[in-house]
Amino acid sequence: MTRTDKASVEFECTRLANRFCCLADLSDAAGVANLFTGEGKFERGDLQVEGRPAIEKMTASRPAGMVTRHLLTTSLVDGIGDDLAEGRHYCLVYVSGAGHNPERPIVREYHDRYRLTEEGWRIESRQVLTPFAG
């Protein structure tokens, strides 16, 4: 992989992580699902979903009145082949409504695997960790 290719992979995969944050905040369930491969996996604690329809359903199930802002703070993406990359992203998530206090952000860590598809780079799997709350 050339330096230009490496930079392109890093840019495209980090862009997916940023788009995830923005689309989640907009409650765009179809948009979030489209960031994943057709068989994409999402895991957060006991929640595990697989495939775009399940990811869309999960995203659409947000409680009424909940508002979020995901602030992606740090990203590290490495290509591990011509069509595969891995990334780690740190994110502060502010949640308001539905019983949440927006003054205490949730610290999240995304462990992603990306795959180059006919649609471009997509998230193949995302594991969301919550190392501690702010």
Side-chain angles (χ1 to χ4, degrees), residues 27 44 57-68 95-100:
S27 298
R44 185 181 66 226
K57 182 178 178 183
M58 171 200 70
T59 306
S61 69
R62 171 183 286 200
M66 179 182 278
V67 176
T68 60
V95 184
S96 179
H100 293 273

mmCIF file of all heavy atoms in Angstrom, residues 27 44 57-68 95-100:
data_model
loop_
_atom_site.group_PDB
_atom_site.id
_atom_site.type_symbol
_atom_site.label_atom_id
_atom_site.label_comp_id
_atom_site.label_asym_id
_atom_site.label_seq_id
_atom_site.Cartn_x
_atom_site.Cartn_y
_atom_site.Cartn_z
ATOM 1 N N SER A 27 -30.739 11.192 13.979
ATOM 2 C CA SER A 27 -31.682 10.063 14.020
ATOM 3 C C SER A 27 -31.976 9.543 12.618
ATOM 4 O O SER A 27 -33.098 9.139 12.312
ATOM 5 C CB SER A 27 -32.981 10.452 14.733
ATOM 6 O OG SER A 27 -32.714 10.800 16.065
ATOM 7 N N ARG A 44 -22.629 -3.296 21.431
ATOM 8 C CA ARG A 44 -22.449 -2.385 22.561
ATOM 9 C C ARG A 44 -22.995 -3.095 23.791
ATOM 10 O O ARG A 44 -24.206 -3.240 23.945
ATOM 11 C CB ARG A 44 -23.172 -1.063 22.332
ATOM 12 C CG ARG A 44 -22.906 -0.044 23.427
ATOM 13 C CD ARG A 44 -23.660 1.260 23.203
ATOM 14 N NE ARG A 44 -25.085 1.027 23.312
ATOM 15 C CZ ARG A 44 -26.005 1.489 22.470
ATOM 16 N NH1 ARG A 44 -25.651 2.217 21.429
ATOM 17 N NH2 ARG A 44 -27.275 1.221 22.640
ATOM 18 N N LYS A 57 -33.060 -0.724 12.379
ATOM 19 C CA LYS A 57 -34.088 -0.876 13.409
ATOM 20 C C LYS A 57 -33.554 -0.432 14.775
ATOM 21 O O LYS A 57 -34.245 0.260 15.522
ATOM 22 C CB LYS A 57 -34.553 -2.332 13.465
ATOM 23 C CG LYS A 57 -35.654 -2.586 14.466
ATOM 24 C CD LYS A 57 -36.097 -4.041 14.431
ATOM 25 C CE LYS A 57 -37.166 -4.287 15.479
ATOM 26 N NZ LYS A 57 -37.567 -5.697 15.509
ATOM 27 N N MET A 58 -32.324 -0.814 15.100
ATOM 28 C CA MET A 58 -31.711 -0.422 16.370
ATOM 29 C C MET A 58 -31.625 1.103 16.463
ATOM 30 O O MET A 58 -31.991 1.697 17.476
ATOM 31 C CB MET A 58 -30.310 -1.028 16.481
ATOM 32 C CG MET A 58 -29.494 -0.508 17.658
ATOM 33 S SD MET A 58 -27.716 -0.771 17.478
ATOM 34 C CE MET A 58 -27.299 0.389 16.163
ATOM 35 N N THR A 59 -31.161 1.732 15.400
ATOM 36 C CA THR A 59 -30.993 3.184 15.399
ATOM 37 C C THR A 59 -32.338 3.889 15.491
ATOM 38 O O THR A 59 -32.465 4.915 16.175
ATOM 39 C CB THR A 59 -30.236 3.631 14.136
ATOM 40 O OG1 THR A 59 -29.011 2.899 14.050
ATOM 41 C CG2 THR A 59 -29.915 5.106 14.172
ATOM 42 N N ALA A 60 -33.342 3.340 14.849
ATOM 43 C CA ALA A 60 -34.674 3.947 14.859
ATOM 44 C C ALA A 60 -35.393 3.769 16.195
ATOM 45 O O ALA A 60 -36.394 4.434 16.450
ATOM 46 C CB ALA A 60 -35.524 3.356 13.731
ATOM 47 N N SER A 61 -34.876 2.897 17.054
ATOM 48 C CA SER A 61 -35.565 2.617 18.320
ATOM 49 C C SER A 61 -35.183 3.585 19.440
ATOM 50 O O SER A 61 -35.516 3.345 20.591
ATOM 51 C CB SER A 61 -35.272 1.176 18.772
ATOM 52 O OG SER A 61 -33.911 1.044 19.148
ATOM 53 N N ARG A 62 -34.535 4.672 19.100
ATOM 54 C CA ARG A 62 -34.166 5.684 20.091
ATOM 55 C C ARG A 62 -35.415 6.178 20.812
ATOM 56 O O ARG A 62 -36.437 6.430 20.183
ATOM 57 C CB ARG A 62 -33.488 6.849 19.370
ATOM 58 C CG ARG A 62 -33.260 8.057 20.240
ATOM 59 C CD ARG A 62 -32.669 9.178 19.447
ATOM 60 N NE ARG A 62 -31.284 8.857 19.196
ATOM 61 C CZ ARG A 62 -30.365 9.735 18.877
ATOM 62 N NH1 ARG A 62 -30.694 10.999 18.748
ATOM 63 N NH2 ARG A 62 -29.138 9.380 18.674
ATOM 64 N N PRO A 63 -35.339 6.331 22.148
ATOM 65 C CA PRO A 63 -36.511 6.814 22.890
ATOM 66 C C PRO A 63 -36.948 8.212 22.423
ATOM 67 O O PRO A 63 -36.107 9.043 22.074
ATOM 68 C CB PRO A 63 -36.014 6.878 24.340
ATOM 69 C CG PRO A 63 -34.857 5.938 24.403
ATOM 70 C CD PRO A 63 -34.227 5.994 23.037
ATOM 71 N N ALA A 64 -38.241 8.434 22.441
ATOM 72 C CA ALA A 64 -38.786 9.735 22.063
ATOM 73 C C ALA A 64 -38.209 10.817 22.977
ATOM 74 O O ALA A 64 -38.056 10.612 24.175
ATOM 75 C CB ALA A 64 -40.305 9.709 22.166
ATOM 76 N N GLY A 65 -37.860 11.940 22.401
ATOM 77 C CA GLY A 65 -37.344 13.067 23.170
ATOM 78 C C GLY A 65 -35.848 13.029 23.435
ATOM 79 O O GLY A 65 -35.297 13.980 23.989
ATOM 80 N N MET A 66 -35.192 11.959 23.056
ATOM 81 C CA MET A 66 -33.741 11.873 23.282
ATOM 82 C C MET A 66 -33.002 12.652 22.200
ATOM 83 O O MET A 66 -33.286 12.519 21.020
ATOM 84 C CB MET A 66 -33.269 10.421 23.270
ATOM 85 C CG MET A 66 -31.760 10.286 23.471
ATOM 86 S SD MET A 66 -31.207 8.571 23.407
ATOM 87 C CE MET A 66 -31.598 8.092 25.079
ATOM 88 N N VAL A 67 -32.053 13.463 22.639
ATOM 89 C CA VAL A 67 -31.202 14.229 21.743
ATOM 90 C C VAL A 67 -29.761 13.899 22.092
ATOM 91 O O VAL A 67 -29.399 13.866 23.269
ATOM 92 C CB VAL A 67 -31.450 15.747 21.897
ATOM 93 C CG1 VAL A 67 -30.491 16.545 21.022
ATOM 94 C CG2 VAL A 67 -32.888 16.094 21.582
ATOM 95 N N THR A 68 -28.929 13.633 21.066
ATOM 96 C CA THR A 68 -27.523 13.320 21.320
ATOM 97 C C THR A 68 -26.615 14.213 20.490
ATOM 98 O O THR A 68 -27.021 14.733 19.454
ATOM 99 C CB THR A 68 -27.194 11.853 20.964
ATOM 100 O OG1 THR A 68 -27.463 11.644 19.576
ATOM 101 C CG2 THR A 68 -27.986 10.878 21.807
ATOM 102 N N VAL A 95 -26.003 13.321 25.995
ATOM 103 C CA VAL A 95 -27.370 12.836 25.821
ATOM 104 C C VAL A 95 -28.300 13.687 26.664
ATOM 105 O O VAL A 95 -28.044 13.908 27.859
ATOM 106 C CB VAL A 95 -27.504 11.352 26.239
ATOM 107 C CG1 VAL A 95 -28.903 10.845 25.962
ATOM 108 C CG2 VAL A 95 -26.469 10.491 25.525
ATOM 109 N N SER A 96 -29.377 14.156 26.058
ATOM 110 C CA SER A 96 -30.388 14.945 26.756
ATOM 111 C C SER A 96 -31.750 14.306 26.513
ATOM 112 O O SER A 96 -31.985 13.688 25.478
ATOM 113 C CB SER A 96 -30.378 16.380 26.224
ATOM 114 O OG SER A 96 -31.365 17.153 26.878
ATOM 115 N N GLY A 97 -32.625 14.470 27.470
ATOM 116 C CA GLY A 97 -33.965 13.906 27.352
ATOM 117 C C GLY A 97 -33.982 12.438 27.711
ATOM 118 O O GLY A 97 -32.930 11.818 27.920
ATOM 119 N N ALA A 98 -35.150 11.885 27.842
ATOM 120 C CA ALA A 98 -35.332 10.468 28.167
ATOM 121 C C ALA A 98 -34.561 10.076 29.430
ATOM 122 O O ALA A 98 -33.990 8.992 29.520
ATOM 123 C CB ALA A 98 -34.940 9.581 26.981
ATOM 124 N N GLY A 99 -34.528 10.991 30.409
ATOM 125 C CA GLY A 99 -33.911 10.689 31.698
ATOM 126 C C GLY A 99 -32.400 10.842 31.755
ATOM 127 O O GLY A 99 -31.775 10.411 32.728
ATOM 128 N N HIS A 100 -31.796 11.456 30.761
ATOM 129 C CA HIS A 100 -30.345 11.620 30.735
ATOM 130 C C HIS A 100 -29.940 13.042 31.097
ATOM 131 O O HIS A 100 -30.656 13.999 30.800
ATOM 132 C CB HIS A 100 -29.781 11.281 29.347
ATOM 133 C CG HIS A 100 -29.913 9.837 29.002
ATOM 134 N ND1 HIS A 100 -28.981 8.904 29.358
ATOM 135 C CD2 HIS A 100 -30.883 9.173 28.339
ATOM 136 C CE1 HIS A 100 -29.363 7.719 28.926
ATOM 137 N NE2 HIS A 100 -30.525 7.856 28.301
#
